[in-house]
Amino acid sequence: MAIGQLKDVETGEINGLEDLEKPLIVEEQTVVGSDESGSIWMVLICTFVAVCGSFEFGSCVGYSAPTQSAIREDLNLSLAEFSMFGSILTIGAMLGAVTSGRIADLIGRKGAMRLSAAFCSTGWLAVYFSKGALSLDIGRFSTGYGIGVFSYVVPIFIAEIAPKNLRGGLATLNQLMIVTGSSVAFLIGTIIPWRALALTGLVPCIFLLVGLCFIPESPRWLAKVGHSKEFQVALRKLRGKDADITQEAAEIQVYIETLQSLPKTRISDLFQPKYFGSVIIGVALMVFQQFGGINGITFYASETFASAGLSSEKTGTIAYACVQVPITIAGAMLMDRSGRRPLIMVSATGTFLGCFLAGTSFYLKDHSLLPEWVPILAVGGVLIYIASFSIGMGAVPWVIMSEIFPINVKGVAGSLVVLVNWLGAWAVSYTFNFLMSWSPSGTFFVYSGFSVMTVLFVAKFVPETKGKTLEEIQASINS
């Protein structure tokens, strides 16, 4: 669910994100002079507008969980039809992510966000007016395409407008707002009808479209397309009217020229021996992230609680929503304190425990053992799972991915990794209900097995990237 595509997957270019490998939380203190006070506010306003797209992302992801039973009952959908509705979001998102780099380069970061908001708004309206499975699927696919573009353009825009000392901290807001949007959808969905919940998805789109009228375009994109005058105006608006932007403007121009001089890479280049280790690590981490069951458990949480015999499925859904946000914040704070490997191994251990407990609860239910413990173990297992995933498995694979690939292949490698991630998300979200019909306990035991494999793989093959240069990371991988 934590889809953090950060590179231009169409052209293989890295769009001015030279500081993405810096810590997510920057601890240095910066004294802001009077000439920069205005710029800080403008950067914060721009970030707030952009992360409305992240909130929309979370709203789309969280929509299916609290609405499953109501939609199936009202529209008389079969299990297969609702599974298609839930999972087709990921197909749209995959296409959106793959085309997002080209779109953002052609019409700008603001233009791409407007296009995303238009697709999401159209999709929500289609869901609201749906009378059957087809219109539901079209609406869900449209919102999926929109969030696929958002998954690329929002972190890109934030990274390109923020000063270096604020970039890491502001970048964490993207993931935080995705989780917040999902949690809010979970909570609101327990008290309002599914059609009304679809209309709430329009709210962040409206805020975004209005806000985009008042903020500048990314200076880096303006410089890249040769709009030098607009580039200077936008950069000055972001940094303050009295700030000296000469040095930063020169650095941006030099960096863009350097990127444009790099040879373009192809997918086949990734299978050279010097890149193969990085590719295996990047792809494997995305496979383990998705096949640990996150999108199945998230998309259909309410029905999972109901299947376990919880007297009120809304109670479990509310608890689920309340866990995500604080744990995600804790994970961001721990990222550069504990290191990548320990955090992801602890996280995967927690997801194993959560799935094992949930699987055990369904096993006890199937064999009519300890019936009073079944709902407790199910809810406890799912909450442990989502807390553990949020603290590491959600974000850390994307951070590692951004660090293990050399600069000349980051774009095309990012394309491959994102494609694998979305394909995994679709496979899990589509098959979850069928697996639960086959064996609820077996479903969670399968997911727990992937968590065990994650721990073993990270312990054996994934290097610690915290505080290392790109050359040091490459040396540790190739060794």
Side-chain angles (χ1 to χ4, degrees):
M1 191 168 65
I3 307 297
Q5 182 191 7
L6 298 174
K7 308 296 181 290
D8 185 332
V9 298
E10 289 281 308
T11 64
E13 296 173 1
I14 301 95
N15 294 277
L17 301 182
E18 66 271 25
D19 294 296
L20 278 177
E21 296 179 7
K22 294 195 178 235
L24 287 177
I25 299 293
V26 179
E27 299 185 61
E28 62 184 89
Q29 296 181 347
T30 304
V31 179
V32 180
S34 60
D35 61 334
E36 296 181 354
S37 58
S39 71
I40 298 301
W41 282 109
M42 179 53 68
V43 169
L44 292 177
I45 291 171
C46 291
T47 301
F48 171 78
V49 171
V51 296
C52 288
S54 307
F55 190 93
E56 174 68 13
F57 188 131
S59 299
C60 295
V61 170
Y63 178 77
S64 60
T67 60
Q68 179 172 354
S69 58
I71 292 178
R72 288 191 63 189
E73 181 179 346
D74 289 353
L75 300 183
N76 195 28
L77 299 185
S78 67
L79 181 64
E81 287 173 327
F82 190 84
S83 295
M84 176 56 70
F85 167 71
S87 63
I88 201 171
L89 178 87
T90 59
I91 299 296
M94 179 176 63
L95 294 177
V98 169
T99 59
S100 58
R102 179 68 67 187
I103 291 170
D105 275 350
L106 287 177
I107 63 176
R109 309 332 186 199
K110 289 174 61 177
M113 285 189 277
R114 288 191 181 99
L115 183 67
S116 302
F119 269 95
C120 288
S121 299
T122 303
W124 284 123
L125 291 173
V127 170
Y128 177 79
F129 290 108
S130 290
K131 301 298 182 182
L134 179 61
S135 53
L136 270 180
D137 290 345
I138 292 173
R140 185 76 164 165
F141 179 86
S142 181
T143 58
Y145 185 86
I147 67 173
V149 177
F150 275 137
S151 72
Y152 172 84
V153 73
V154 171
I156 281 284
F157 181 75
I158 294 173
E160 291 183 347
I161 64 168
K164 291 181 179 181
N165 61 295
L166 297 178
R167 187 168 294 155
L170 293 178
T172 62
L173 293 177
N174 177 55
Q175 177 65 17
L176 180 60
M177 290 302 287
I178 291 174
V179 173
T180 302
S182 175
S183 296
V184 170
F186 271 48
L187 293 172
I188 297 178
T190 62
I191 58 177
I192 66 174
W194 64 271
R195 293 189 190 273
L197 184 61
L199 290 182
T200 65
L202 297 173
V203 176
C205 293
I206 294 171
F207 272 99
L208 178 69
L209 290 171
V210 173
L212 287 173
C213 298
F214 300 98
I215 64 173
E217 177 60 271
S218 162
R220 292 172 185 268
W221 179 78
L222 292 170
K224 183 178 180 180
V225 297
H227 296 167
S228 56
K229 183 177 179 180
E230 292 86 347
F231 161 64
Q232 295 284 340
V233 171
L235 188 59
R236 187 167 297 283
K237 190 172 184 179
L238 287 166
R239 300 295 177 257
K241 63 180 181 179
D242 298 323
D244 182 5
I245 62 172
T246 306
Q247 181 177 352
E248 184 176 5
E251 290 175 351
I252 291 173
Q253 294 282 11
V254 169
Y255 187 74
I256 289 174
E257 291 172 4
T258 302
L259 287 177
Q260 292 176 339
S261 68
L262 291 174
K264 293 184 179 181
T265 54
R266 298 165 297 180
I267 287 288
S268 59
D269 296 331
L270 296 178
F271 298 98
Q272 298 177 25
K274 59 182 177 180
Y275 304 135
F276 195 66
S278 298
V279 171
I280 291 296
I281 291 172
V283 169
L285 287 177
M286 295 306 163
V287 169
F288 289 133
Q289 182 196 62
Q290 291 302 324
F291 282 87
I294 181 60
N295 278 296
I297 294 171
T298 298
F299 282 15
Y300 312 112
S302 294
E303 284 299 298
T304 301
F305 293 137
S307 299
L310 190 65
S311 57
S312 173
E313 62 188 61
K314 293 182 178 180
T315 302
T317 304
I318 292 170
Y320 184 110
C322 294
V323 163
Q324 289 190 93
V325 176
I327 298 298
T328 300
I329 295 173
M333 297 176 66
L334 288 171
M335 185 81 67
D336 286 289
R337 296 177 184 271
S338 64
R340 298 5 170 189
R341 290 178 80 250
L343 191 58
I344 200 170
M345 291 171 70
V346 169
S347 176
T349 302
T351 59
F352 161 77
L353 177 61
C355 284
F356 186 80
L357 290 176
T360 300
S361 74
F362 284 107
Y363 179 85
L364 294 175
K365 181 184 178 184
D366 291 341
H367 292 80
S368 301
L369 300 172
L370 303 174
E372 68 278 5
W373 281 94
V374 170
I376 296 174
L377 288 175
V379 174
V382 171
L383 293 182
I384 290 172
Y385 176 91
I386 193 59
S388 301
F389 185 89
S390 298
I391 206 169
M393 283 297 294
V396 175
W398 291 104
V399 175
I400 293 176
M401 188 274 287
S402 73
E403 296 172 328
I404 60 175
F405 293 112
I407 189 171
N408 60 307
V409 299
K410 274 189 175 180
V412 68
S415 172
L416 176 63
V417 168
V418 167
L419 182 63
V420 169
N421 190 281
W422 280 118
L423 284 173
W426 173 80
V428 171
S429 58
Y430 183 72
T431 59
F432 181 81
N433 284 321
F434 298 108
L435 288 173
M436 289 290 285
S437 298
W438 160 68
S439 172
S441 59
T443 301
F444 282 95
F445 288 147
V446 168
Y447 292 156
S448 67
F450 276 99
S451 295
V452 172
M453 288 189 286
T454 302
V455 175
L456 296 176
F457 179 83
V458 172
K460 179 68 176 177
F461 298 107
V462 179
E464 178 57 68
T465 58
K466 172 190 171 184
K468 290 185 178 180
T469 65
L470 181 61
E471 291 75 20
E472 291 171 336
I473 294 172
Q474 288 299 305
S476 60
I477 291 174
N478 293 331
S479 64

